Amino acid sequence: MRGISKHYDAIAALTDVSFDVLPGEVHALLGENGAGKSTLMSVASGATSPDVGAIVFDGETVENLTPALAQELGIAIVHQHPALLPDLTVAENIRVSVPIQHLQRRDANVARAMRAILDDVHFLGHLEDRVSSLSVARRHLLEVAKAFAVSPRLLILDEPTAPLSLDSVELLFASVRRAAEKGTAVVYITHRLAEVRQIADRVTVLRDGRVRATAPVADISDADLLALIIGRTLEASFPPKHDGATADGKPLLAVEGFSGHGFENISLVARAGEIVGIAGIIGNGQTALLRSLAGRTAANGTIKVDGKELSRRKLLRNAAYMPADRLTEGLMRDLNVRENTAMTALDQLRVGPFVSRRREVVAVERELTELAVRAPSLEAPVSALSGGNHQKVVMSRSMLSEPSLLVADEPTQGVDVGARAEIYRILRKVAGQGVPVVVSSSDAKELEGLCDRVIVMSRGHAVATLEGDAVTEERIVHAAISATTHTADRSRQRQTRLARVARFVVGDYAPVVVLALVMLVLGAYVYQHNHRYVSNFNINSVMFACAALGFISLGQTFALLLGGIDLSVGPLAGFLVVLASFFVLDGKSPGMWALGFVLMFAAAVAVGLLNGSLIRFAKFTPVAATLVTYIGLGGLAFTLRSAPDGYIAASVTNAISTKVGPVPIAFVVFVLCAFGLEVALRKARFGLRLRAVGSDEESARRVGVPVNKTALLGYLGASILTLLGAVVLLAQLGVGDPGQGTGYTLTSITAVVLGGTSLLGGRGTFIGTLMGAGLSVQVLNATVFLGLDQKWQYIFQGLLIVAAAIIYSQVRRGAIRAPGQA
């Protein structure tokens, strides 16, 4: 990389940076948070375009490097914040990111190949686990596994060990050494100087976006590296510990018999001025314990602060929690730095009923300055900050809220050396002010230097309590790895069965089973009251109506899977019927009929591309873009036909209405289409890309998914399927009626939501939409046979939507929280 510069508005992220890495070399890249390390590697991996400078790969200058081109060149990157798609499974994330030829080179059986690359990094999760349910450590291991799977020529590791346990770090280092021996060039970004000594051949230091030095690791001391990184001499890493001789012996924090999901019977105390550490191999209940101490999850037992027992509600209000997963749990990424920092302290910043902006700005600036947060301004989006500065914002918010208890999970994860010392100082200062501090860390050396008392956990139990001089790295590690505690006895087969059931319950197909049961119960109830419910005529009517709604709902599913919405599907269906009513008429030639259908197809394609273009290129929101076409199509329909007119040729409507027994052919085609789309959604590359964009657009872009193309095709698919629904409506209506069609927008959304597709994108099934459309039509039909007023149709549909939303969201929220403790 030669002369690379990159500016964000007036902020220089990189200035004239030149950096090279050789085949078979591990080149470490060091610097403070915000120094430009991740930005430089984003340029190297094609995720960010430099303002000026050149990228040379294997002697060839690369123009317009993109993530997809980087993959072709053999560049793989492990991002500081993993580029994973939370709504997809582990296996699907691998399939999106890793070309199949790389997997088949490992094993002809793709599933076995994926399992093998995961085993290489000691990833113990299941291939069908949803990524949103994984712990932070497992997400990083998955990201590492994806990178090694492609046998890269250039491997970029951006702080890969931050959340990993010691054994996982050793496995990673072994893999890096093997890759380097085979000629892979490795860039290794870290804040830990000991790792540089272990793994790197050369080291480069960035500060304020400029290269400060490059040298062989053997030729430069740690003191010199520290001075280059922070621009000053660091006197000491850890502040002095609390002097136990001055304590009155009365516990400030007392936790007794604390049990919850992932931990059992934990008791601990902290006296005034003390910091309590929670240690153990990652995944032994530490995160679950801290979440419950902060009131985030329910637990049994008692917590007393200064002699007063705190309920979960009081903990939620008064305890500050710094989560390990700062991006998901710690920050509101769509808000700015000021809003994120002040969020939990708004009561203290009020003047009367209103928050004082002046007091807010003064308080936020004070906290951010104390932690040396680097941000373009207080109004800058928090997502624009570096990873370490994200952590500092989370800590600043905790300090500003003036908590009665501070709980910090991996507080220095991904933080540079200078900021780490500041965090240690502030934690000690908070403890000295009479606030109990509980810290969990996977770094035993950090716990030794910071904590007065350490609780070592294994399999959810406290297996050792170390105090005073007994708090040493050696004793912490020994207690963690020599523990013999077991969880409640449960056979492996039973655990496996329970895991399968849990995966199904929180999976995409559980709503299909629920809807099928509801339809059976409703059908049986209506049949008891009216036997004509199963007559051939009614079966045909219901199925034909289901086909019309179903095709349009399948189109709506495309839009919702992308994380968008298509309000235009209803007016588009109505407009297409009106358009056909000028051509597909009795007395017109078959050629004219064919022209009518061609024009319907062309109009559908044009609307789909218009919606997609407005969203992707004109930067309209999906609601705004499709509302434009909703209104426009409605107006065009009434312009063409001010009243119902133009009766569709009887031979055409008869052909569309063809049935076998009571079953319309159109319904059969609808069902086959739904199953075909479902197979494509799970197995085809486009289906995976569609869900990837809806799950996390930025991560999808970083793993090489063509986001714009995928979105355009998705909205095009929505319009084409709406066209099929309009063809069924031709036969159902038999006339060009401009007032028909608009109602299908809301009913299609209803069907899709009932089927379990998330309004946030990334999750859903076409089979669920099929069942949702079926249930929607069945409810309307049932009210007729039960002799109920039309209002009950809407009441029942509303109740079903509310029930589905509550059930699906609660089940999926539980899936995200519970497994993540493991």
Side-chain angles (χ1 to χ4, degrees):
M1 305 175 73
R2 298 173 182 165
I4 301 293
S5 293
K6 178 67 180 177
H7 288 74
Y8 293 98
D9 296 326
I11 305 298
L14 297 170
T15 303
D16 194 26
V17 173
S18 294
F19 178 88
D20 64 80
V21 57
L22 308 175
E25 176 190 48
V26 179
H27 193 150
L29 183 59
L30 304 181
E32 289 186 286
N33 297 125
K37 307 182 301 298
S38 295
T39 302
L40 184 64
M41 291 304 106
S42 290
V43 172
S45 60
T48 299
S49 298
D51 298 333
V52 295
I55 300 172
V56 180
F57 191 86
D58 199 19
E60 299 290 331
T61 300
V62 181
E63 303 288 348
N64 301 319
L65 184 64
T66 64
L69 178 56
Q71 285 186 353
E72 292 178 18
L73 292 172
I75 300 172
I77 181 169
V78 173
H79 296 88
Q80 180 183 9
H81 303 298
L84 299 175
L85 307 159
D87 296 295
L88 275 62
T89 64
V90 170
E92 288 168 341
N93 267 270
I94 295 174
R95 286 169 54 204
V96 168
S97 308
V98 181
I100 193 167
Q101 62 267 26
H102 289 290
L103 294 173
Q104 290 176 332
R105 191 166 57 211
R106 184 68 180 263
D107 194 308
N109 183 297
V110 173
R112 282 203 303 265
M114 289 190 287
R115 185 67 263 171
I117 66 172
L118 292 174
D119 289 341
D120 286 347
V121 297
H122 208 229
F123 178 95
L124 302 178
H126 196 279
L127 283 172
E128 298 307 314
D129 285 341
R130 204 170 294 274
V131 164
S132 59
S133 72
L134 299 179
S135 64
V136 177
R138 284 191 177 178
R139 292 181 199 180
H140 277 261
L141 288 174
L142 174 56
E143 180 83 339
V144 170
K146 290 192 307 174
F148 279 105
V150 299
S151 302
R153 299 177 67 193
L154 170 62
L155 176 62
I156 301 168
L157 300 169
D158 193 350
E159 298 185 41
T161 64
L164 301 184
S165 61
L166 185 59
D167 57 339
S168 295
V169 171
E170 290 173 352
L171 281 169
L172 172 64
F173 283 180
S175 298
V176 170
R177 292 187 187 101
R178 283 196 300 271
E181 288 170 1
K182 294 177 182 177
T184 298
V186 181
V187 179
Y188 190 87
I189 300 175
T190 184
H191 289 302
R192 300 176 177 180
L193 298 185
E195 292 182 352
V196 175
R197 299 288 175 196
Q198 282 181 270
I199 198 72
D201 303 302
R202 271 197 302 162
V203 60
T204 290
V205 177
L206 286 181
R207 189 171 77 247
D208 299 327
R210 296 176 182 271
V211 173
R212 301 297 171 174
T214 297
V217 171
D219 294 348
I220 192 167
S221 69
D222 284 356
D224 289 339
L225 284 174
L226 278 171
L228 288 167
I229 291 169
I230 63 178
R232 66 186 189 277
T233 303
L234 192 64
E235 294 180 1
S237 294
F238 298 102
K241 290 190 179 184
H242 174 64
D243 183 3
T246 63
D248 60 7
K250 180 182 177 182
L252 180 62
L253 170 69
V255 178
E256 296 181 8
F258 213 51
S259 298
H261 182 80
F263 61 95
E264 188 175 343
N265 197 28
I266 303 295
S267 296
L268 61 89
V269 296
R271 294 177 177 82
E274 291 185 342
I275 296 177
V276 176
I278 306 296
I281 297 170
I282 289 175
N284 278 269
Q286 302 96 304
T287 295
L289 172 62
L290 265 63
R291 287 181 61 84
S292 292
L293 285 174
R296 268 52 180 182
T297 54
N300 300 316
T302 61
I303 299 179
K304 293 182 180 180
V305 175
D306 202 16
K308 298 176 182 177
E309 186 171 339
L310 298 182
S311 64
R312 183 185 174 193
R313 179 177 295 180
K314 289 182 178 178
L315 286 170
L316 276 170
R317 189 183 307 122
N318 299 315
Y321 176 53
M322 295 173 56
D325 188 355
R326 55 188 174 238
L327 277 185
T328 303
E329 293 187 83
L331 295 170
M332 291 139 282
R333 285 182 280 180
D334 292 331
L335 300 185
N336 61 36
V337 174
R338 171 182 54 79
E339 292 164 331
N340 267 276
T341 307
M343 185 59 67
T344 58
L346 298 180
D347 282 342
Q348 294 100 291
L349 302 173
R350 288 187 307 169
V351 174
F354 302 107
V355 174
S356 166
R357 175 61 63 87
R358 184 185 63 79
R359 293 177 64 180
E360 181 185 9
V361 169
V362 169
V364 169
E365 283 183 339
R366 183 183 67 246
E367 293 297 334
L368 297 184
T369 301
E370 186 164 10
L371 270 175
V373 176
R374 294 189 179 193
S377 73
L378 295 185
E379 305 306 312
V382 76
S383 56
L385 272 58
S386 67
N389 283 303
H390 284 157
Q391 187 74 324
K392 294 180 189 178
V393 169
V394 173
M395 186 163 196
S396 297
R397 182 173 65 229
S398 299
M399 298 301 98
L400 197 57
S401 65
E402 298 178 1
S404 58
L405 171 64
L406 176 60
V407 178
D409 193 359
E410 302 285 358
T412 61
Q413 183 173 287
V415 174
D416 63 66
V417 234
R420 195 175 301 159
E422 283 300 303
I423 289 175
Y424 295 151
R425 182 187 63 78
I426 290 174
L427 288 174
R428 181 56 67 185
K429 177 182 173 183
V430 170
Q433 291 171 344
V435 177
V437 177
V438 181
V439 174
S440 175
S441 175
S442 55
D443 186 343
K445 190 70 178 176
E446 179 173 81
L447 293 176
E448 175 189 346
L450 179 65
C451 300
D452 305 282
R453 180 179 287 103
V454 172
I455 311 298
V456 183
M457 293 184 66
S458 177
R459 296 183 175 91
H461 293 75
V463 295
T465 299
L466 307 174
E467 299 183 34
D469 293 339
V471 179
T472 64
E473 180 182 17
E474 183 181 355
R475 291 191 179 185
I476 292 171
V477 172
H478 181 267
I481 65 176
S482 62
T484 58
T485 306
H486 295 280
T487 52
D489 186 29
R490 186 185 291 170
S491 71
R492 186 175 298 274
Q493 288 184 348
R494 175 173 168 76
Q495 282 184 323
T496 302
R497 285 196 301 270
L498 288 174
R500 287 175 182 168
V501 171
R503 277 194 293 272
F504 177 79
V505 168
V506 302
D508 290 335
Y509 292 110
V512 175
V513 175
V514 172
L515 292 184
L517 292 174
V518 171
M519 292 175 71
L520 285 172
V521 171
L522 178 59
Y525 179 78
V526 176
Y527 177 73
Q528 281 184 335
H529 287 76
N530 194 328
H531 291 310
R532 288 180 297 170
Y533 181 68
V534 293
S535 65
N536 284 353
F537 176 79
N538 191 53
I539 290 173
N540 179 264
S541 299
V542 168
M543 288 186 171
F544 203 68
C546 183
L549 173 60
F551 278 121
I552 296 172
S553 299
L554 292 178
Q556 188 70 257
T557 306
F558 268 98
L560 289 178
L561 284 171
L562 281 168
I565 197 168
D566 191 347
L567 300 178
S568 70
V569 291
L572 175 60
F575 170 75
L576 293 176
V577 172
V578 168
L579 185 62
S581 71
F582 287 94
F583 298 91
V584 189
L585 304 172
D586 285 321
K588 299 282 187 180
S589 66
M592 190 63 73
W593 294 353
L595 176 61
F597 284 111
V598 169
L599 289 175
M600 289 173 69
F601 177 78
V605 169
V607 169
L609 292 176
L610 176 61
N611 282 336
S613 298
L614 287 174
I615 293 167
R616 298 310 309 177
F617 305 119
K619 303 304 179 183
F620 280 49
T621 64
V623 170
T626 56
L627 184 60
V628 168
T629 48
Y630 176 101
I631 295 170
L633 289 167
L636 277 175
F638 275 97
T639 300
L640 294 175
R641 294 245 186 241
S642 58
D645 198 4
Y647 290 89
I648 306 301
S651 56
V652 173
T653 60
N654 290 336
I656 296 170
S657 304
T658 302
K659 58 186 179 180
V660 177
V663 180
I665 294 298
F667 179 77
V668 175
V669 173
F670 160 58
V671 172
L672 292 175
C673 185
F675 275 91
L677 288 171
E678 185 63 30
V679 172
L681 187 67
R682 304 293 159 182
K683 303 296 183 182
R685 169 170 282 193
F686 174 72
L688 288 172
R689 287 177 169 178
L690 187 78
R691 292 164 57 213
V693 172
S695 181
D696 188 321
E697 183 179 314
E698 182 54 34
S699 290
R701 181 179 287 108
R702 286 195 287 170
V703 298
V705 172
V707 173
N708 288 338
K709 178 181 176 182
T710 301
L712 278 175
L713 290 175
Y715 279 96
L716 179 61
S719 292
I720 297 298
L721 285 161
T722 301
L723 166 66
L724 296 179
V727 170
V728 179
L729 278 178
L730 275 179
Q732 198 173 44
L733 299 175
V735 65
D737 186 348
Q740 296 292 327
T742 54
Y744 279 96
T745 291
L746 290 181
T747 50
S748 68
I749 295 172
T750 298
V752 177
V753 171
L754 284 175
T757 296
S758 170
L759 288 171
L760 300 177
R763 291 196 63 171
T765 66
F766 288 104
I767 302 302
T769 297
L770 183 157
M771 301 300 292
L775 181 58
S776 297
V777 173
Q778 185 187 24
V779 167
L780 299 180
N781 183 255
T783 57
V784 175
F785 278 89
L786 294 174
L788 300 175
D789 293 339
Q790 188 178 19
K791 66 181 181 183
W792 287 100
Q793 298 177 0
Y794 300 103
I795 291 173
F796 287 145
Q797 279 191 333
L799 290 174
L800 284 170
I801 292 172
V802 171
I806 292 173
I807 293 170
Y808 299 159
S809 64
Q810 290 299 316
V811 167
R812 288 170 181 172
R813 188 178 294 119
I816 290 172
R817 287 179 179 172
Q821 317 305 334

